[in-house]
């Protein structure tokens, strides 16, 4: 229940429409970190494309700007750094989904507090 509330809070920060339970996650974002880490290099790359799309979508929807004034959901860290953070968290939390971890990392790298 706490996990569901935390994910809802993160999504609410992106868009009030996403705060409800009435949204669908498609593709690799639904897999657990354990599945992601245990998958082939090809399947990991597909998951990383999904993560890239997640951060691109948040960049479109969220007004956080980097030093050059671009909307940047990676907090200026760039996608390679974000992927390293996601992998590190996934190693310690293999039961979490990529969608959940991506949302948490977005909050972490942009220093947002969804409370």
């Amino acid at each position: 229940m706490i996990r569901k509330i935390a994910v809802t809070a993160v999504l609410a920060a992106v868009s009030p429409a996403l705060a409800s339970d009435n949204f669908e996650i498609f593709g690799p974002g639904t897999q657990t970190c354990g599945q992601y880490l245990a998958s082939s290099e090809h399947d990991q790359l597909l998951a990383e494309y999904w993560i890239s799309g997640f951060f691109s979508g948040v960049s479109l929807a969220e007004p956080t700007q980097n030093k050059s004034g671009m909307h940047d959901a990676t907090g200026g860290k760039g996608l390679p750094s974000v992927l390293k953070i996601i992998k590190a968290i996934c190693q310690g939390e293999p039961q979490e989904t990529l969608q959940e971890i991506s949302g948490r990392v977005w909050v972490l790298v942009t220093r947002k507090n969804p409370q």
Side-chain angles (χ1 to χ4, degrees):
M1 180 65 151
I2 292 172
R3 183 177 313 134
K4 186 175 184 179
I5 292 169
V7 170
T8 300
V10 167
L11 294 173
V14 176
S15 167
L18 296 178
S20 75
D21 291 334
N22 297 324
F23 62 91
E24 191 70 43
I25 301 297
F26 298 101
T30 63
Q31 68 182 292
T32 67
C33 283
Q35 292 169 322
Y36 163 62
L37 294 172
S39 66
S40 69
E41 186 176 327
H42 175 266
D43 288 344
Q44 282 188 13
L45 185 59
L46 292 176
E48 290 166 4
Y49 286 149
W50 184 92
I51 294 166
S52 173
F54 176 92
F55 278 86
S56 294
V58 173
S59 289
L60 288 168
E62 171 61 29
T64 302
Q65 295 183 342
N66 64 18
K67 292 176 185 174
S68 65
M70 300 275 301
H71 293 267
D72 182 2
T74 71
K77 296 190 181 328
L79 189 62
S81 293
V82 164
L83 291 172
K84 286 180 185 177
I85 294 167
I86 288 173
K87 273 192 175 183
I89 293 172
C90 276
Q91 289 174 350
E93 301 183 44
Q95 76 287 355
E96 298 293 340
T97 67
L98 288 178
Q99 175 264 320
E100 292 168 333
I101 297 300
S102 294
R104 285 176 36 202
V105 168
W106 168 65
V107 170
L108 175 70
V109 298
T110 57
R111 294 182 180 88
K112 295 191 178 298
N113 187 353
Q115 297 177 5

